[in-house]
Amino acid sequence: MTTWGYLGFQDSASPLMEQLIFFHDHVMVVIILIVTFVGYMMGSLFFNKYINRFLLENQNIEIVWTILPALILIFIALPSLRLLYLLDEVNNPSVTLKVVGHQWYWSYEYSDFIQVEFDSYMVPTNEMTESGFRLLDVDNRTVLPMDTQVRVLISAADVIHSWTVPALGVKVDAIPGRLNQVGFMINRPGLFYGQCSEICGANHSFMPIVVESVSVDFFLNWISSLAE
């Protein structure tokens, strides 16, 4: 979870988020090199007292500053396209979770084996424990097994919402009348926090998401206890 003064991304909890962080670092290296080079060129122009009054054009420079940016853009675009297709792919999911956004809470449904449904509301400040996180904790967490391919089907019952968990690299719009899907795999246990990321009304800031990653055995025991 992000804390005060934290400038980077949250620690990744899925292979997709790891790839997003790698791509971010890749692009930042390219941008820093460009800014450094252009800054050096501008600085040398400002402090250079010699001027070539007869320089009207230079075909070689024109060719270089046309081809070089094109190569740099290709160098950025190819990893970007690869990552976009990876994020969009849903491969043979073992667990399917259905998520519906409401004003202003989330409802979840596990229907692979048995019918389990519940609503997830934010815990009010006056009901929180000392160990709770203000505006982030919920009464019913979304429990998912780690090291398992998970598919999430997302929709909304009223207005557009957005189901977002930064540590998993997941941000999917919940649109009324439309079913969106995303696939991911959680590679470590823990609690991963998110919030609705689409302005959806007065209580938009008060519909958080908490994903609890557990072992497969614990998940099966938990889902069985809810069905009894």
Side-chain angles (χ1 to χ4, degrees), residues 107-153:
S107 60
Y108 298 93
E109 179 183 335
Y110 299 79
S111 55
D112 282 327
F113 314 104
I114 45 182
Q115 194 72 16
V116 175
E117 298 180 45
F118 59 85
D119 296 330
S120 180
Y121 289 85
M122 185 190 76
V123 177
T125 305
N126 59 349
E127 298 178 11
M128 285 182 57
T129 61
E130 290 185 358
S131 60
F133 292 106
R134 178 178 171 271
L135 301 182
L136 286 177
D137 267 316
V138 296
D139 54 357
N140 291 311
R141 295 171 179 167
T142 308
V143 180
L144 292 172
M146 64 179 184
D147 295 328
T148 303
Q149 192 68 34
V150 178
R151 174 177 60 178
V152 183
L153 302 175

Side-chain angles (χ1 to χ4, degrees), residues 86-98:
L86 281 175
L87 292 171
D88 212 33
E89 191 69 31
V90 180
N91 290 320
N92 300 322
S94 301
V95 176
T96 297
L97 172 69
K98 298 175 185 175

Side-chain angles (χ1 to χ4, degrees), residues 56-68:
L56 299 177
E57 64 176 19
N58 191 316
Q59 292 296 330
N60 293 329
I61 292 177
E62 294 280 355
I63 292 170
V64 168
W65 71 33
T66 301
I67 294 177
L68 194 59

Side-chain angles (χ1 to χ4, degrees), residues 167-213:
L168 303 179
V170 174
K171 181 181 184 295
V172 184
D173 286 343
I175 302 171
R178 178 169 177 170
L179 205 60
N180 287 332
Q181 73 170 358
V182 65
F184 57 84
M185 183 180 69
I186 308 173
N187 55 18
R188 62 186 174 93
L191 294 177
F192 308 112
Y193 295 87
Q195 291 176 301
C196 176
S197 298
E198 185 73 36
I199 296 175
C200 56
N203 289 339
H204 158 69
S205 301
F206 308 110
M207 48 185 301
I209 302 155
V210 181
V211 174
E212 182 176 357
S213 174

Side-chain angles (χ1 to χ4, degrees), residues 95 113 143-148 189 212-226 228:
V95 176
F113 314 104
V143 180
L144 292 172
M146 64 179 184
D147 295 328
T148 303
E212 182 176 357
S213 174
V214 298
S215 66
V216 175
D217 290 339
F218 187 96
F219 173 77
L220 292 175
N221 291 334
W222 173 81
I223 203 83
S224 300
S225 66
L226 288 181
E228 292 174 356

